[in-house]
């Protein structure tokens, strides 16, 4: 088996080390009726400065995962395409990397280790770069698809010390990337207090997503210590939002003087 280049891990680590902020677009394959259309509509993305494209979803009612990955790869050009798997069914070797997640905010063994055991031999047969990632669901108590499907409750936004302890446990377990997610389409994103608390104890890349639908929310998450922000629903609703936040990211990084 060929060893994949550590392209995405290096990219996330260099964002974190430089202080530069990154942006990822999450595509939910279940919402892709026609992947070719997506490819045509977003041809401009390959030259846009977007850092990553993630593909995945907590619930799949279509059998189109590989087809979507292939279309997204064509659209992405040099931008890495990363699988953000909702289950072991979302593993194909045509992407560049996979977030190998453990849902450590939950207490469901199936999402802590069960799916991972089933997925590991499938991943080993690909050239996917594996990104060992602590996955923490955090929000205002809303139950979104991801909570329902995983049968776990989110960490409360109002208790940053619980998120901090959970992230610290992930760090001591050796996980290398940390994803704080409020859940797709969440009414409230992960609180800045939670991001700050996790940032205090984790000197690794922190990815934040869920319910970020304005430049103000994006900026607040960056200021709190997020290295990479993931946007899904806001781009589905308004594709122009992607271009606006990309402009903002350039402005923000220039203002930090870390380029
Ligand atoms: C969901 O973090 C992602 O897992 C993105 O969420 O769709 O709310 O942007 P949104």
């Amino acid at each position: 088996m060929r060893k994949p280049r550590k392209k995405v891990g290096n990219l996330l680590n260099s964002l974190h080390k430089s202080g530069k902020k990154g942006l990822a677009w999450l595509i939910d394959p279940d919402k892709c009726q026609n992947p070719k259309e997506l490819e045509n509509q977003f041809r401009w993305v390959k030259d846009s400065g977007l850092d990553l494209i993630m593909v995945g979803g907590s619930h799949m009612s279509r059998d189109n995962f590989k087809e979507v990955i292939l279309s997204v790869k064509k659209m992405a050009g040099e931008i890495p395409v990363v699988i953000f798997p909702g289950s072991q069914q979302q593993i194909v070797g045509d992407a560049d990397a996979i977030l190998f997640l453990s849902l450590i905010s939950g207490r469901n063994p199936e999402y802590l280790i069960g799916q991972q055991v089933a997925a590991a031999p499938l991943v080993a047969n690909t050239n996917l770069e594996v990104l060992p990632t602590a996955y923490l669901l955090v929000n205002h108590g809303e139950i979104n698809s991801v909570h329902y499907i995983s049968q776990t409750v989110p960490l409360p936004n109002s208790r940053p010390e619980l998120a901090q302890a959970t992230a610290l446990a992930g760090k001591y377990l050796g996980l290398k990337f940390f994803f704080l997610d409020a859940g797709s389409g969440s009414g409230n994103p992960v609180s800045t207090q939670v991001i700050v608390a996790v940032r205090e104890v984790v000197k690794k890349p922190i990815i934040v997503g869920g319910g970020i639908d304005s430049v103000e929310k994006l900026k607040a998450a960056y200021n709190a210590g997020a290295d990479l922000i993931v946007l899904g629903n806001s781009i589905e609703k308004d594709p122009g939002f992607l271009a606006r936040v990309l402009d903002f990211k350039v402005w923000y990084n220039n203002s930090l003087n870390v380029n």
Side-chain angles (χ1 to χ4, degrees), residues 26 84 135 179 181 183-186 209-211 230-233:
L26 172 65
F84 172 28
Y135 188 47
F179 194 152
D181 198 346
S184 184
S186 186
V230 184
L231 303 173
N233 271 267

Side-chain angles (χ1 to χ4, degrees), residues 1-6 126-128:
M1 193 179 37
R2 197 157 51 87
K3 237 184 154 184
R5 282 186 299 146
K6 289 188 176 168
T126 68
N127 288 319
L128 291 167

Side-chain angles (χ1 to χ4, degrees), residues 41-119:
Q41 189 186 358
F42 286 96
R43 278 193 188 287
W44 57 272
V45 152
K46 57 165 80 74
D47 304 311
S48 68
L50 185 69
D51 297 279
L52 286 186
I53 300 180
M54 294 185 182
V55 181
S58 52
H59 176 67
M60 289 283 286
S61 53
R62 298 173 197 274
D63 183 19
N64 65 349
F65 195 72
K66 188 178 170 87
E67 189 194 352
V68 172
I69 290 279
L70 291 174
S71 275
V72 172
K73 274 296 289 171
K74 272 198 212 157
M75 172 182 85
E78 292 295 304
I79 301 170
V81 176
V82 179
I83 299 174
F84 172 28
S87 76
Q88 50 181 293
Q89 280 148 4
Q90 296 172 25
I91 297 167
V92 294
D94 308 271
D96 297 296
I98 183 165
L99 295 178
F100 205 80
L101 306 166
S102 183
L103 178 45
I104 62 169
S105 59
R107 297 294 179 273
N108 182 349
E110 184 59 18
Y111 288 88
L112 278 164
I113 187 65
Q115 292 270 328
Q116 292 80 349
V117 172

Side-chain angles (χ1 to χ4, degrees), residues 142-213:
E142 218 177 295
I143 299 297
N144 297 320
S145 295
V146 63
H147 308 108
Y148 182 76
I149 298 288
S150 67
Q151 292 285 296
T152 65
V153 289
L155 285 157
N157 256 336
S158 57
R159 300 290 303 274
E161 74 282 10
L162 293 180
Q164 189 179 58
T166 309
L168 203 47
K171 171 176 139 172
Y172 292 153
L173 285 166
L175 296 167
K176 296 196 166 68
F177 307 95
F178 291 76
F179 194 152
L180 309 177
D181 198 346
S184 184
S186 186
N188 290 285
V190 176
S191 70
T192 53
Q193 292 86 338
V194 163
I195 302 171
V196 167
V198 171
R199 176 81 292 161
E200 256 172 49
V201 295
V202 163
K203 307 296 174 228
K204 300 271 181 204
I206 297 179
I207 304 167
V208 176
I212 298 180
D213 55 7

